[in-house]
Amino acid sequence: MSEPQGTEGSTRRLPVVETAAQPTGPTDPSDPTDVTGQETPGGDSPPPPASDAGGRAGRFWSARRVPAGIVALLLLVVAGAFLYDVVAVRTGRSALGWRRELARQLAERPLDDTWVRVGAGVAAALGLWLLLLALTPGLRKVLPMRRTRPDVRAGLHRDAAASVLRDRAVEVAGVQSARVRMRRRKARVRALAHFRELDDVRTDLHGVLDDAVRGLGLARPPTVSVKVARPGRKG
């Protein structure tokens, strides 16, 4: 359970900001440059004005460096092994045993063989996984923020947004501690109230957290789900 923490000595994820570089000479002004913002939007800051002038705020796309590197390495190893064996055969040497055995197995095994089906299933699963990586944005932990300028895109990490909502929740009278689970479409808040009526605390939490969500400046503000309970008895 998350307890209220002060701001001193704490570490939070900063917003991700993607902006187009300003032209300083004959360079191309459309060259994108990634920078990191300097401030995390808190609940006390007023929400930015809603505007569609900046364009559609889509999700950030992941570079997929790790999957691409793994696939490239595997292809390099397999292609290198086949190339080495082919060159060896062309120079008068016999083919390696693994390639002769592979050719024999492919020629003799029927298509309804169990191992053939297993290999085809693995190859199809890997292909579907690569297609899924290529067609989906990724970076699910970065929530896109509203765009007020066409050359600037900003995103807020879920952990930072959850920290803001948690800090605002513990400021409500009667709330002892709060735990926030942030998703793309919904924010689940569980709070423990040690005094006041639970219905009153729940109503105040809804109002405070709705204002805090609007203050985050997200392109698609998530809905807030609040659950309030009494702390359990010790011992």
Side-chain angles (χ1 to χ4, degrees):
M1 178 178 299
S2 300
E3 297 293 338
Q5 301 176 357
T7 56
E8 295 184 1
S10 60
T11 302
R12 294 183 181 176
R13 291 182 178 273
L14 298 176
V16 176
V17 179
E18 183 179 284
T19 179
Q22 298 296 331
T24 57
T27 58
D28 185 3
S30 62
D31 183 19
T33 304
D34 290 343
V35 298
T36 303
Q38 300 298 324
E39 297 182 358
T40 301
D44 296 333
S45 60
S51 174
D52 296 334
R56 180 177 176 272
R59 289 176 56 189
F60 288 81
W61 281 78
S62 173
R64 312 286 193 188
R65 293 185 178 90
V66 174
I70 293 175
V71 173
L73 181 61
L74 291 177
L75 291 178
L76 179 63
V77 171
V78 173
F82 275 100
L83 181 61
Y84 172 82
D85 194 46
V86 170
V87 172
V89 171
R90 292 294 183 181
T91 56
R93 299 179 182 179
S94 60
L96 296 179
W98 64 268
R99 194 159 75 93
R100 293 197 303 269
E101 180 64 20
L102 178 61
R104 187 182 66 81
Q105 292 290 342
L106 292 177
E108 295 179 357
R109 285 185 180 271
L111 295 179
D112 58 350
D113 185 77
T114 302
W115 288 107
V116 174
R117 292 181 176 181
V118 170
V122 171
L126 289 176
L128 290 176
W129 177 61
L130 294 177
L131 286 176
L132 182 64
L133 293 180
L135 298 177
T136 55
L139 294 182
R140 299 179 60 85
K141 292 188 177 181
V142 179
L143 303 174
M145 303 177 69
R146 284 194 298 265
R147 299 184 66 178
T148 57
R149 295 180 54 184
D151 57 342
V152 176
R153 295 182 64 226
L156 187 64
H157 284 273
R158 287 186 188 176
D159 294 342
S163 298
V164 171
L165 297 185
R166 185 195 62 203
D167 293 344
R168 293 298 303 273
V170 297
E171 293 175 358
V172 175
V175 175
Q176 181 181 13
S177 61
R179 182 174 57 184
V180 180
R181 190 174 183 181
M182 197 74 179
R183 298 298 184 190
R184 290 177 54 203
R185 304 291 184 179
K186 195 170 188 178
R188 299 180 183 272
V189 182
R190 295 175 179 265
L192 295 181
H194 52 86
F195 69 92
R196 294 183 67 196
E197 293 294 333
L198 296 184
D199 291 338
D200 296 339
V201 176
R202 187 180 298 106
T203 301
D204 292 347
L205 278 174
H206 270 294
V208 169
L209 294 177
D210 288 342
D211 292 340
V213 168
R214 287 193 295 268
L216 293 176
L218 299 177
R220 298 178 181 86
T223 58
V224 179
S225 173
V226 178
K227 290 186 178 180
V228 183
R230 296 294 186 190
R233 294 181 179 271
K234 295 183 178 180

